[in-house]
């Protein structure tokens, strides 16, 4: 059977400027610097030498198919949360799985079900460093949230709560960003109940230390990004 590309049913086309950006950034030198740097193999006996540093911008537009989990990511664009349900054992997966993990189900293909925008915190971490795309929003809370009815947890940002008020079992609402793009960062959580202070997992001393650490992270982010800094935790 020959493969024929499917027709486009619906699309949010990427801005064509990326094509031009990718085309032009084809490793061609666009500049250079003649710099002075260290020379030698013993750190206590270095001399100096001049080196040429070439600048070549590189870029690519990466087309990536989500395959059998596509419905989940299309759902995010539509501000709906989908899970994958096994018709044999009834397990619901979110994040989705195309096939059931239960060995007894022998890779049974799952079916899509729409999920409620509610869940509870399974575990969480307060982030003081991150991958490049999220640096501007440091510090933030990553919570692994079990969506109601599901047997797995999904990593999300947890907003509008102090880190010391978070604990496993805290009920949360799942929210969508204003302009979803079909990415897991399209969703974030906010508390669905007033946190119970008796379930607090940190001592007052630990809270003070955390506040101090978060303040330092916030100062670093503001220094690096200026007015673009958007710390997710208010200290
Ligand atoms: Zn199953």
């Amino acid at each position: 059977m020959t493969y024929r590309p499917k027709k486009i049913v619906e699309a949010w086309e990427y801005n064509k400027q990326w094509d031009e950006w990718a085309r032009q950034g084809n490793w061609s030198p666009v500049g250079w610097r003649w710099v002075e740097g260290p020379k030698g193999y013993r750190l206590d006996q270095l001399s100096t030498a001049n080196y040429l540093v070439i600048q070549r911008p590189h870029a690519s537009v990466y087309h990536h198919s989500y395959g059998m989990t596509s419905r989940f990511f299309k759902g995010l664009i539509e501000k709906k949360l989908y899970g994958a349900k096994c018709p044999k054992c009834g397990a619901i997966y979110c994040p989705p799985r195309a096939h059931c993990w239960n060995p007894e189900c022998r890779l049974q293909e799952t079916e899509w079900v729409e999920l409620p925008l509610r869940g509870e915190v399974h575990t969480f971490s307060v982030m003081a460093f991150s991958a490049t795309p999220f640096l501007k929003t440091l510090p933030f809370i990553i919570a692994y949230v079990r969506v109601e009815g599901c047997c797995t947890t999904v990593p999300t940002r947890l907003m509008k709560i102090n880190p010391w008020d978070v604990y496993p079992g805290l009920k949360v609402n799942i929210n969508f960003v204003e302009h979803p793009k079909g990415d897991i960062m399209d969703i974030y959580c906010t508390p669905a109940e007033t946190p119970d202070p008796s379930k607090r997992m940190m001592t007052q001393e630990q809270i003070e230390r955390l506040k101090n650490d978060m303040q330092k992270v916030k100062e670093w982010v503001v220094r690096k990004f200026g007015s673009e800094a958007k710390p997710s935790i208010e200290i």
Side-chain angles (χ1 to χ4, degrees), residues 23-220:
R23 189 184 68 78
Q24 287 186 355
N26 194 18
W27 296 96
S28 305
V30 296
W32 55 261
R33 283 175 181 172
W34 183 239
V35 300
E36 188 181 280
K39 184 188 177 188
Y41 56 90
R42 275 185 58 164
L43 288 175
D44 58 342
Q45 289 178 12
L46 294 178
S47 58
T48 59
N50 287 340
Y51 302 99
L52 184 67
V53 177
I54 290 285
Q55 295 154 347
R56 302 175 193 258
H58 171 57
S60 59
V61 176
Y62 185 57
H63 296 255
H64 174 99
S65 167
Y66 280 124
M68 289 178 74
T69 55
S70 291
R71 180 69 262 177
F72 174 78
F73 294 96
K74 182 65 171 13
L76 296 179
I77 294 169
E78 296 160 356
K79 299 194 179 182
K80 288 178 180 172
L81 192 61
Y82 283 96
K85 183 176 183 177
C86 172
K88 278 191 186 166
C89 71
I92 304 177
Y93 299 95
C94 182
R97 298 202 54 81
H99 301 89
C100 186
W101 257 10
N102 184 344
E104 290 167 19
C105 297
R106 303 180 69 84
L107 297 176
Q108 168 67 43
E109 196 172 317
T110 55
E111 295 166 354
W112 293 108
V113 285
E114 195 176 337
L115 299 173
L117 298 178
R118 297 184 300 272
E120 62 174 54
V121 171
H122 178 73
T123 188
F124 71 100
S125 185
V126 184
M127 308 301 290
F129 198 58
S130 72
T132 314
F134 316 120
L135 286 176
K136 284 178 195 171
T137 62
L138 284 172
F140 58 84
I141 307 168
I142 282 280
Y144 279 74
V145 167
R146 192 176 62 77
V147 180
E148 210 173 279
C150 296
C151 62
T152 48
T153 62
V154 60
T156 67
R157 287 170 301 158
L158 179 55
M159 316 275 280
K160 295 181 183 169
I161 187 168
N162 290 319
W164 48 88
D165 283 333
V166 188
Y167 47 84
L170 178 77
K171 300 266 186 286
V172 293
N173 290 321
I174 296 154
N175 311 272
F176 287 90
V177 296
E178 198 179 348
H179 301 292
K181 293 172 181 168
D183 184 271
I184 196 65
M185 292 297 286
D186 288 343
I187 55 172
Y188 65 95
C189 289
T190 48
E193 60 181 349
T194 308
D196 180 350
S198 71
K199 292 184 182 169
R200 203 171 258 183
M201 298 168 73
M202 300 177 81
T203 64
Q204 198 54 39
E205 191 190 338
Q206 288 170 327
I207 292 174
E208 291 310 316
R209 204 173 67 203
L210 180 66
K211 279 185 185 174
N212 191 37
D213 289 350
M214 294 296 98
Q215 189 57 38
K216 282 182 191 154
V217 172
K218 197 171 166 181
E219 283 165 16
W220 178 81

